């Protein structure tokens, strides 16, 4: 809590002196649920989540941050309260009409979802973009700290994109991520089979990938994207996916998806000695519009594992009054039949929006297992007294043999603000 107060004090001092514009969002919520640590004992838990996003700008410079302060009022979690910093960086945008610089904690949008504390440079000239980045891995729970072992905990990479051809985007990505697990003590047997405490040390693990990307978009009539990922450590293809959509007529759309992937195993991990099989997944679907108020979509997917396979089917009906969904899976991934319906209505020019949803699911792991079922209900109200302020209340109800009459509540408030100087 002291770190949060100190950070906010420094942030507002800087922005009050230098910033021309300050804007952001504050979201605070409380989640109520019941747990049963023992058959005869139950307790009500209350957890709060407070998200703050802030951006202060002056000319081409910006200071941006996003954090979450979470607390457990029932004191069932020893590590609470906890402060997470997801972003905190200084950005210089389009400096010298060439480069955008970010310095601090930032998030990468890639297959590893890496966040790091460091620097990134984005060069853009006409139809060419090159982004490079380097920094230390973010500590566990996004603590406001820097890694003390940069040699074994870092991420390094680059991305190159070009739109040299009309409607076609080509990209090449490289990423090298090292992360060393924490050392710990565990009980092991010595040469005389006596238990002794042993310090367990592990080598730095690594993900090392090279990716090729392609995307083609021609208005709303045709969309195509593909990605190939090569694992430089294991010297093999790690993933290949392909997705496309064709607007065959004004009302009919055709979708196609294919994905090949190997198990993602870190280099130097003990799991690399196991013989993992790959999986291949293909899905095709149609969507059809019956005017502006009604549409229907249907998809069928098939997944091929090493020695098994699985299938799934989904049908969705969309109307101005709500949605009706049906999903079925069968095969190696288990058997499931689920139907759900959801509706919401905006009243009083958007100030009040009640909503309700219900779903019923039958499921089992394999064909010979006993069938279980689950009923879930959700109901809520969104109240927006002003454009920058809104309140949400939602109740959730579950019932099956594992969760008997499970009732939960969520309260949330959102506030958007902007200060111009």
């Amino acid at each position: 809590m002291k770190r949060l107060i100190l950070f906010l004090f420094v942030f507002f001092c800087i922005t009050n002196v230098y910033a021309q514009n300050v804007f952001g969002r504050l979201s605070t919520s409380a989640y109520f649920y019941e747990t049963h640590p023992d058959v005869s004992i139950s307790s009500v838990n209350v957890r709060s989540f407070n998200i703050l996003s802030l951006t202060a700008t002056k000319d081409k410079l910006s200071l941006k941050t996003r954090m979450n302060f979470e607390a457990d009022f029932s004191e069932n979690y020893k590590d609470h309260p906890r402060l997470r910093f997801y972003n905190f960086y200084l950005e210089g945008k389009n400096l010298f009409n060439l480069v955008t610089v970010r310095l601090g904690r930032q998030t990468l949008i890639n297959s590893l979802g890496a966040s790091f504390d460091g620097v990134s440079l984005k060069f853009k000239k006409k139809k060419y973009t090159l982004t490079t980045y380097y920094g230390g891995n973010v500590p566990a729970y996004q603590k406001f700290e820097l890694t003390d072992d940069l040699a074994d905990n870092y991420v390094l990479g680059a991305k190159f994109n070009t739109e040299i051809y009309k409607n076609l985007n080509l990209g090449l990505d490289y990423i090298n991520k090292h992360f060393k697990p924490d050392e710990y003590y565990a009980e092991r047997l010595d040469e005389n089979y006596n238990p002794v405490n042993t310090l367990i040390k592990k080598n730095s693990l690594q993900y090392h990938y090279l990716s090729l990307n392609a995307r083609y978009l021609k208005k709303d009539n045709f969309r195509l994207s593909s990605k190939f990922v090569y694992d430089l450590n294991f010297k093999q293809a790690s993933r290949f996916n392909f997705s496309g959509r064709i607007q065959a007529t004004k009302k009919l759309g055709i979708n196609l998806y294919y994905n090949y992937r190997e198990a993602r195993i870190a280099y130097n991990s003990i799991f690399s000695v196991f013989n993992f099989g790959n999986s291949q997944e293909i899905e095709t679907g149609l969507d059809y519009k019956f005017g502006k108020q009604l549409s229907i979509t249907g998809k069928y997917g098939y997944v091929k594992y090493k020695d098994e396979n699985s299938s799934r089917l989904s049908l969705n009906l969309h109307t101005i009054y709500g949605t009706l969904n049906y999903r079925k899976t069968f095969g190696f991934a288990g058997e499931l039949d689920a139907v759900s319906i959801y509706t919401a209505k905006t009243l009083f020019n958007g100030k009040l929006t009640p909503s309700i949803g219900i779903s019923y699911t039958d499921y089992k792991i394999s064909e010979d297992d006993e069938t279980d079922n689950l009923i879930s209900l959700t109901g809520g109200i969104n109240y927006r007294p002003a454009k920058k302020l809104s309140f949400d209340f939602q109740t959730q109800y579950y019932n099956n043999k594992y969760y008997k009459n499970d009732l939960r509540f969520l309260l949330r408030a959102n506030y958007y603000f902007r200060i111009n100087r």
Side-chain angles (χ1 to χ4, degrees), residues 166-168 215-220 222-224:
K166 185 179 180 180
N167 303 323
L168 177 64
R215 185 176 71 250
Y216 181 81
L217 177 63
K218 186 177 180 181
K219 295 183 179 180
D220 295 328
F222 184 75
R223 183 178 68 246
L224 177 67

Side-chain angles (χ1 to χ4, degrees), residues 308-310 329-336 362-372:
E308 301 286 349
N309 61 77
S310 178
T329 63
F330 41 94
F332 182 66
E335 299 193 5
L336 176 146
D362 279 336
Y363 60 96
K364 55 184 177 180
I365 300 300
S366 64
E367 185 178 358
D368 300 327
D369 289 339
E370 179 183 356
T371 300
D372 294 323

Side-chain angles (χ1 to χ4, degrees), residues 142-406:
Q142 293 80 31
K143 292 181 180 179
F144 197 41
E145 300 173 357
L146 299 176
T147 179
D148 56 2
D149 185 12
L150 188 59
D152 288 321
N153 284 282
Y154 69 86
V155 58
L156 167 69
K159 298 189 294 183
F160 174 76
N161 287 88
T162 179
E163 295 183 3
I164 189 171
Y165 298 107
K166 185 179 180 180
N167 303 323
L168 177 64
N169 184 287
L170 300 175
L172 177 65
D173 295 358
Y174 169 81
I175 186 169
N176 185 355
K177 180 180 180 181
H178 277 259
F179 55 101
K180 188 174 183 178
D182 293 334
E183 298 176 354
Y184 62 94
Y185 283 92
E187 195 173 80
R188 296 291 187 267
L189 299 179
D190 62 11
E191 63 275 8
N192 297 318
Y193 300 99
N194 296 315
V196 295
N197 280 335
T198 305
L199 178 62
I200 306 300
K201 296 183 178 181
K202 293 186 178 181
N203 295 326
S204 177
L205 306 179
Q206 183 192 40
Y207 288 125
H208 200 190
Y209 293 117
L210 186 66
S211 305
L212 297 173
N213 310 280
R215 185 176 71 250
Y216 181 81
L217 177 63
K218 186 177 180 181
K219 295 183 179 180
D220 295 328
N221 299 326
F222 184 75
R223 183 178 68 246
L224 177 67
S225 63
S226 181
K227 184 173 185 177
F228 173 76
V229 181
Y230 185 77
D231 193 318
L232 295 170
N233 282 326
F234 296 103
K235 295 180 174 56
Q236 66 179 17
S238 174
R239 184 173 181 177
F240 171 73
N241 62 49
F242 163 94
S243 62
R245 172 183 166 79
I246 300 174
Q247 191 67 40
T249 68
K250 290 184 178 181
K251 295 184 177 182
L252 178 64
I254 303 173
N255 301 276
L256 181 64
Y257 171 78
Y258 172 79
N259 187 21
Y260 166 92
R261 63 179 159 224
E262 293 281 348
R264 177 173 289 167
I265 305 297
Y267 195 65
N268 287 334
S269 168
I270 183 61
F271 294 107
S272 63
V273 303
F274 295 98
N275 183 22
F276 285 90
N278 60 59
S279 66
Q280 299 184 65
E281 179 180 356
I282 187 169
E283 183 178 69
T284 183
L286 301 173
D287 57 82
Y288 191 84
K289 294 182 178 180
F290 298 88
K292 297 181 179 181
Q293 300 183 353
L294 177 65
S295 65
I296 186 171
T297 63
K299 293 183 178 180
Y300 172 78
Y302 177 82
V303 183
K304 179 69 174 68
Y305 304 97
K306 184 177 180 181
D307 300 313
E308 301 286 349
N309 61 77
S310 178
S311 299
R312 64 177 181 267
L313 174 69
S314 64
L315 297 172
N316 308 284
L317 180 67
H318 307 271
T319 74
I320 60 172
Y321 303 104
T323 60
L324 175 64
N325 306 299
Y326 170 75
R327 175 164 179 163
K328 181 177 181 65
T329 63
F330 41 94
F332 182 66
E335 299 193 5
L336 176 146
D337 284 278
V339 60
S340 63
I341 185 170
Y342 174 84
T343 184
K345 178 65 176 178
T346 299
L347 305 172
F348 308 114
N349 296 321
K351 291 186 179 296
L352 192 67
T353 304
S355 62
I356 188 171
I358 182 172
S359 68
Y360 177 84
T361 305
D362 279 336
Y363 60 96
K364 55 184 177 180
I365 300 300
S366 64
E367 185 178 358
D368 300 327
D369 289 339
E370 179 183 356
T371 300
D372 294 323
N373 58 68
L374 169 67
I375 298 175
S376 63
L377 296 169
T378 61
I381 295 177
N382 171 266
Y383 175 57
R384 188 180 296 271
K387 290 183 178 181
K388 297 181 179 180
L389 180 64
S390 67
F391 299 92
D392 290 279
F393 169 76
Q394 187 180 82
T395 180
Q396 306 164 352
Y397 171 83
Y398 305 93
N399 187 48
N400 67 0
K401 69 178 185 180
Y402 304 105
Y403 296 92
K404 291 292 185 180
N405 299 319
D406 186 291

